[in-house]
Amino acid sequence: MTERKFAIVTGASTGIGAELAHIAAQNGYDLIVAADEPLIEASAADIRSHGGTVEAVEADLSTLEGVDTLLAAARGRQIDALFANAGRGLGRGFLDQDVAEWRKVIDTNITGTIYLLQKVGQQMKARGEGKILTTGSIAGFMPGTFQAVYNGTKAFIDSFTEALRAELKDSGVTVTCLMPGPTETEFFDRADMLDTKVGTQEKDDPRKVAQAGFDALMNGSGHVVYGLKNKLQVAAAHILPAGMVAEQHRKMAQPGSGES
Protein backbone atom coordinates (compact mmCIF):
# COMPACT_ATOMS: atom_id res chain seq x y z
CA MET A 1 0.00 0.00 0.00
CA THR A 2 1.36 3.41 -0.99
CA GLU A 3 1.99 5.74 1.94
CA ARG A 4 -0.30 8.75 1.97
CA LYS A 5 1.17 12.13 1.22
CA PHE A 6 1.61 14.58 4.08
CA ALA A 7 0.89 18.30 4.23
CA ILE A 8 0.77 21.17 6.70
CA VAL A 9 -1.94 23.81 6.42
CA THR A 10 -1.75 26.97 8.54
CA GLY A 11 -4.62 29.33 9.26
CA ALA A 12 -6.88 26.30 8.86
CA SER A 13 -9.56 26.99 11.46
CA THR A 14 -11.85 28.86 9.04
CA GLY A 15 -11.99 30.39 5.57
CA ILE A 16 -9.56 29.66 2.76
CA GLY A 17 -7.22 27.67 5.02
CA ALA A 18 -9.96 25.33 6.19
CA GLU A 19 -11.07 24.80 2.60
CA LEU A 20 -7.49 24.10 1.47
CA ALA A 21 -7.26 21.47 4.19
CA HIS A 22 -10.54 19.83 3.10
CA ILE A 23 -9.37 19.73 -0.51
CA ALA A 24 -5.95 18.33 0.42
CA ALA A 25 -7.57 15.60 2.55
CA GLN A 26 -9.89 14.71 -0.33
CA ASN A 27 -6.81 14.38 -2.54
CA GLY A 28 -5.10 11.84 -0.32
CA TYR A 29 -3.06 13.93 2.12
CA ASP A 30 -2.61 13.28 5.81
CA LEU A 31 -2.54 16.65 7.52
CA ILE A 32 -1.40 18.83 10.32
CA VAL A 33 -3.73 21.80 10.52
CA ALA A 34 -2.72 24.79 12.60
CA ALA A 35 -4.16 28.06 13.86
CA ASP A 36 -3.82 30.34 16.86
CA GLU A 37 -7.28 29.59 18.26
CA PRO A 38 -9.08 26.60 19.84
CA LEU A 39 -11.46 26.43 16.86
CA ILE A 40 -8.75 24.49 15.02
CA GLU A 41 -9.84 21.35 16.91
CA ALA A 42 -13.38 21.54 15.49
CA SER A 43 -11.98 22.22 12.02
CA ALA A 44 -9.75 19.14 12.25
CA ALA A 45 -12.73 17.02 13.29
CA ASP A 46 -14.62 18.12 10.15
CA ILE A 47 -11.65 17.43 7.89
CA ARG A 48 -11.25 13.88 9.26
CA SER A 49 -14.51 12.98 7.50
CA HIS A 50 -12.47 12.60 4.31
CA GLY A 51 -10.30 9.85 5.77
CA GLY A 52 -6.62 9.86 6.67
CA THR A 53 -5.08 11.39 9.75
CA VAL A 54 -5.59 15.02 10.70
CA GLU A 55 -3.74 16.46 13.68
CA ALA A 56 -4.65 19.87 15.06
CA VAL A 57 -2.01 22.20 16.46
CA GLU A 58 -2.98 25.37 18.28
CA ALA A 59 0.04 27.67 18.18
CA ASP A 60 0.87 31.36 17.79
CA LEU A 61 2.38 31.36 14.31
CA SER A 62 3.47 34.99 14.66
CA THR A 63 6.33 33.70 16.82
CA LEU A 64 9.32 31.52 15.98
CA GLU A 65 8.45 29.38 18.99
CA GLY A 66 4.94 28.80 17.67
CA VAL A 67 6.29 27.73 14.29
CA ASP A 68 8.77 25.39 16.01
CA THR A 69 5.86 23.84 17.95
CA LEU A 70 4.04 23.24 14.66
CA LEU A 71 7.08 21.66 12.99
CA ALA A 72 7.76 19.45 16.01
CA ALA A 73 4.27 17.97 15.57
CA ALA A 74 5.40 16.53 12.21
CA ARG A 75 7.78 14.23 14.14
CA GLY A 76 10.26 14.15 11.29
CA ARG A 77 7.76 12.99 8.67
CA GLN A 78 8.48 14.13 5.13
CA ILE A 79 6.37 17.20 4.29
CA ASP A 80 5.16 16.85 0.71
CA ALA A 81 3.18 20.10 0.61
CA LEU A 82 3.02 23.24 2.71
CA PHE A 83 0.03 25.56 2.59
CA ALA A 84 1.31 28.71 4.34
CA ASN A 85 -2.04 30.42 4.67
CA ALA A 86 -1.99 31.95 8.17
CA GLY A 87 -2.63 35.67 8.04
CA ARG A 88 -4.10 38.55 9.98
CA GLY A 89 -5.83 41.73 8.82
CA LEU A 90 -6.18 45.15 10.38
CA GLY A 91 -8.33 48.01 9.22
CA ARG A 92 -8.67 51.73 10.09
CA GLY A 93 -6.09 54.50 10.04
CA PHE A 94 -2.54 53.52 10.87
CA LEU A 95 -1.97 56.33 13.38
CA ASP A 96 -4.98 55.11 15.37
CA GLN A 97 -3.82 51.50 15.54
CA ASP A 98 -2.33 49.92 18.63
CA VAL A 99 1.35 48.99 18.28
CA ALA A 100 0.72 45.43 19.49
CA GLU A 101 -1.99 45.00 16.83
CA TRP A 102 0.08 46.09 13.83
CA ARG A 103 3.09 44.16 15.08
CA LYS A 104 0.92 41.04 15.26
CA VAL A 105 -0.07 41.55 11.62
CA ILE A 106 3.55 41.89 10.51
CA ASP A 107 4.79 38.99 12.62
CA THR A 108 1.99 36.66 11.49
CA ASN A 109 1.93 37.59 7.82
CA ILE A 110 5.68 37.97 7.33
CA THR A 111 7.99 36.83 10.13
CA GLY A 112 6.28 33.58 11.10
CA THR A 113 5.42 32.78 7.49
CA ILE A 114 8.89 33.10 6.04
CA TYR A 115 10.46 31.29 9.01
CA LEU A 116 8.10 28.38 8.29
CA LEU A 117 8.95 28.58 4.58
CA GLN A 118 12.66 28.50 5.30
CA LYS A 119 12.46 25.51 7.64
CA VAL A 120 10.23 23.43 5.36
CA GLY A 121 11.90 24.66 2.18
CA GLN A 122 15.31 23.50 3.42
CA GLN A 123 13.95 19.99 3.93
CA MET A 124 12.28 19.94 0.52
CA LYS A 125 15.35 21.24 -1.31
CA ALA A 126 17.59 18.67 0.37
CA ARG A 127 15.53 15.80 -1.05
CA GLY A 128 14.74 17.53 -4.35
CA GLU A 129 10.96 17.62 -4.20
CA GLY A 130 8.06 19.42 -2.57
CA LYS A 131 5.28 21.94 -3.10
CA ILE A 132 4.75 25.24 -1.27
CA LEU A 133 1.68 27.48 -1.50
CA THR A 134 1.62 30.91 0.10
CA THR A 135 -1.53 33.00 0.46
CA GLY A 136 -0.70 36.48 -0.73
CA SER A 137 -3.40 38.88 -1.93
CA ILE A 138 -4.31 41.25 -4.71
CA ALA A 139 -4.04 43.81 -1.87
CA GLY A 140 -0.29 43.49 -2.32
CA PHE A 141 -0.56 45.42 -5.59
CA MET A 142 -2.38 48.37 -4.01
CA PRO A 143 -1.39 51.10 -1.54
CA GLY A 144 -3.74 50.14 1.30
CA THR A 145 -5.42 53.30 2.47
CA PHE A 146 -6.98 52.35 5.85
CA GLN A 147 -5.27 48.95 5.52
CA ALA A 148 -1.72 50.22 5.20
CA VAL A 149 0.09 47.59 7.26
CA TYR A 150 -1.91 44.64 5.93
CA ASN A 151 -1.45 45.58 2.27
CA GLY A 152 2.24 46.17 2.90
CA THR A 153 2.65 42.67 4.32
CA LYS A 154 0.87 41.15 1.35
CA ALA A 155 3.07 43.11 -1.06
CA PHE A 156 6.00 41.49 0.74
CA ILE A 157 4.54 37.97 0.47
CA ASP A 158 3.60 38.38 -3.21
CA SER A 159 7.14 39.55 -4.00
CA PHE A 160 8.92 37.12 -1.68
CA THR A 161 7.11 34.11 -3.13
CA GLU A 162 8.12 35.01 -6.68
CA ALA A 163 11.73 35.46 -5.59
CA LEU A 164 11.82 32.17 -3.70
CA ARG A 165 10.29 30.40 -6.67
CA ALA A 166 13.08 31.73 -8.88
CA GLU A 167 15.75 30.69 -6.35
CA LEU A 168 14.35 27.15 -6.32
CA LYS A 169 14.12 26.83 -10.10
CA ASP A 170 15.19 23.34 -11.22
CA SER A 171 15.43 22.15 -7.58
CA GLY A 172 12.34 19.97 -7.73
CA VAL A 173 10.55 22.31 -5.30
CA THR A 174 7.75 24.47 -6.67
CA VAL A 175 6.46 27.63 -5.01
CA THR A 176 3.05 29.11 -5.81
CA CYS A 177 1.32 32.26 -4.57
CA LEU A 178 -2.46 32.34 -4.25
CA MET A 179 -3.64 35.94 -4.59
CA PRO A 180 -7.30 36.19 -3.60
CA GLY A 181 -9.44 39.27 -3.53
CA PRO A 182 -12.14 39.90 -0.90
CA THR A 183 -13.38 36.47 0.18
CA GLU A 184 -16.32 35.45 2.39
CA THR A 185 -14.40 34.60 5.57
CA GLU A 186 -14.00 35.83 9.15
CA PHE A 187 -11.26 38.20 7.93
CA PHE A 188 -13.27 41.43 7.83
CA ASP A 189 -14.89 40.86 11.21
CA ARG A 190 -11.53 40.16 12.82
CA ALA A 191 -9.97 43.15 11.08
CA ASP A 192 -12.71 45.48 12.40
CA MET A 193 -13.89 46.30 8.89
CA LEU A 194 -17.59 45.46 8.93
CA ASP A 195 -18.48 49.15 8.55
CA THR A 196 -16.55 49.49 5.29
CA LYS A 197 -17.65 49.06 1.69
CA VAL A 198 -15.35 46.09 1.17
CA GLY A 199 -16.57 44.57 4.42
CA THR A 200 -20.23 44.68 3.39
CA GLN A 201 -20.03 43.87 -0.33
CA GLU A 202 -20.53 40.43 -1.88
CA LYS A 203 -17.33 38.41 -1.76
CA ASP A 204 -15.79 35.33 -3.34
CA ASP A 205 -16.56 31.79 -2.20
CA PRO A 206 -13.61 30.53 -0.10
CA ARG A 207 -14.04 26.99 -1.45
CA LYS A 208 -13.62 28.18 -5.03
CA VAL A 209 -10.64 30.35 -4.09
CA ALA A 210 -8.99 27.43 -2.29
CA GLN A 211 -9.62 25.10 -5.21
CA ALA A 212 -7.96 27.56 -7.58
CA GLY A 213 -4.96 27.72 -5.26
CA PHE A 214 -4.74 23.95 -4.88
CA ASP A 215 -4.97 23.40 -8.64
CA ALA A 216 -2.26 26.01 -9.28
CA LEU A 217 -0.03 24.34 -6.71
CA MET A 218 -0.48 20.90 -8.24
CA ASN A 219 0.22 22.33 -11.70
CA GLY A 220 3.40 24.05 -10.50
CA SER A 221 2.11 27.51 -11.46
CA GLY A 222 3.87 30.61 -10.14
CA HIS A 223 0.76 32.39 -8.97
CA VAL A 224 -2.98 32.53 -9.38
CA VAL A 225 -5.45 35.42 -9.04
CA TYR A 226 -8.97 34.06 -8.58
CA GLY A 227 -11.85 35.73 -10.43
CA LEU A 228 -12.15 38.10 -13.38
CA LYS A 229 -12.91 41.16 -11.23
CA ASN A 230 -9.77 40.59 -9.18
CA LYS A 231 -7.67 40.08 -12.31
CA LEU A 232 -8.95 43.39 -13.69
CA GLN A 233 -8.09 45.14 -10.41
CA VAL A 234 -4.54 43.79 -10.54
CA ALA A 235 -4.18 44.90 -14.16
CA ALA A 236 -5.45 48.38 -13.28
CA ALA A 237 -3.08 48.62 -10.31
CA HIS A 238 -0.17 48.01 -12.66
CA ILE A 239 -1.27 50.81 -15.01
CA LEU A 240 -2.78 53.55 -12.84
CA PRO A 241 -0.68 55.96 -10.75
CA ALA A 242 -0.18 54.77 -7.17
CA GLY A 243 -1.97 57.82 -5.78
CA MET A 244 -5.06 57.04 -7.80
CA VAL A 245 -5.06 53.42 -6.67
CA ALA A 246 -4.69 54.58 -3.06
CA GLU A 247 -7.76 56.79 -3.44
CA GLN A 248 -9.74 53.91 -4.92
CA HIS A 249 -8.72 51.81 -1.93
CA ARG A 250 -9.90 54.57 0.41
CA LYS A 251 -13.41 54.25 -1.01
CA MET A 252 -13.39 50.53 -0.24
CA ALA A 253 -11.74 50.48 3.19
CA GLN A 254 -12.52 53.81 4.88
CA PRO A 255 -14.51 53.30 8.12
CA GLY A 256 -18.13 54.28 7.69
CA SER A 257 -18.13 53.61 3.93
CA GLY A 258 -20.26 50.48 4.24
CA GLU A 259 -23.98 50.13 3.77
CA SER A 260 -26.03 51.31 6.75
Side-chain angles (χ1 to χ4, degrees), residues 4-256:
R4 288 172 63 91
K5 295 170 288 186
F6 178 55
I8 291 175
V9 186
T10 66
S13 55
T14 61
I16 295 171
E19 297 296 347
L20 283 169
H22 278 283
I23 294 166
Q26 290 170 326
N27 281 269
Y29 283 88
D30 287 337
L31 296 170
I32 291 177
V33 293
D36 64 356
E37 59 181 351
L39 188 59
I40 191 63
E41 295 287 351
S43 179
D46 288 341
I47 297 162
R48 290 188 189 105
S49 66
H50 306 299
T53 63
V54 182
E55 180 176 354
V57 174
E58 183 183 348
D60 183 353
L61 300 178
S62 71
T63 68
L64 304 190
E65 294 79 12
V67 174
D68 285 338
T69 296
L70 167 60
L71 292 173
R75 301 178 186 85
R77 186 172 177 182
Q78 175 179 305
I79 301 165
D80 299 296
L82 170 64
F83 299 83
N85 172 76
R88 182 175 292 269
L90 185 62
R92 306 192 179 275
F94 170 67
L95 297 183
D96 299 323
Q97 293 170 351
D98 183 78
V99 173
E101 290 183 331
W102 61 252
R103 280 197 63 179
K104 189 80 168 182
V105 173
I106 293 171
D107 288 341
T108 302
N109 297 4
I110 297 178
T111 309
T113 296
I114 67 171
Y115 179 62
L116 177 61
L117 292 181
Q118 185 177 55
K119 288 292 189 179
V120 175
Q122 287 170 344
Q123 298 173 22
M124 289 180 172
K125 184 180 179 183
R127 68 172 187 271
E129 63 177 349
K131 297 180 181 296
I132 295 172
L133 180 76
T134 62
T135 300
S137 175
I138 66 167
F141 296 104
M142 308 169 192
T145 312
F146 293 105
Q147 270 187 293
V149 174
Y150 173 77
N151 283 38
T153 64
K154 289 304 181 179
F156 179 97
I157 291 299
D158 292 351
S159 172
F160 180 88
T161 304
E162 290 287 359
L164 182 60
R165 176 180 174 83
E167 289 182 11
L168 292 173
K169 182 181 179 182
D170 302 324
S171 71
V173 182
T174 61
V175 185
T176 303
C177 188
L178 171 60
M179 301 176 183
T183 304
E184 196 60 61
T185 69
E186 300 294 322
F187 175 91
F188 295 96
D189 183 14
R190 294 172 177 175
D192 192 19
M193 295 183 66
L194 292 183
D195 64 342
T196 66
K197 184 176 180 181
V198 69
T200 55
Q201 71 180 15
E202 184 178 354
K203 304 174 186 64
D204 293 326
D205 181 343
R207 175 73 181 197
K208 293 179 180 178
V209 174
Q211 188 68 61
F214 186 88
D215 292 344
L217 180 68
M218 293 300 113
N219 294 333
S221 303
H223 63 267
V224 58
V225 176
Y226 174 80
L228 177 60
K229 180 180 178 181
N230 295 325
K231 290 175 182 177
L232 291 173
Q233 280 191 281
V234 170
H238 280 117
I239 297 170
L240 298 174
M244 186 178 294
V245 177
E247 283 304 310
Q248 290 179 343
H249 200 284
R250 173 194 297 276
K251 295 174 183 177
M252 298 298 294
Q254 186 167 10

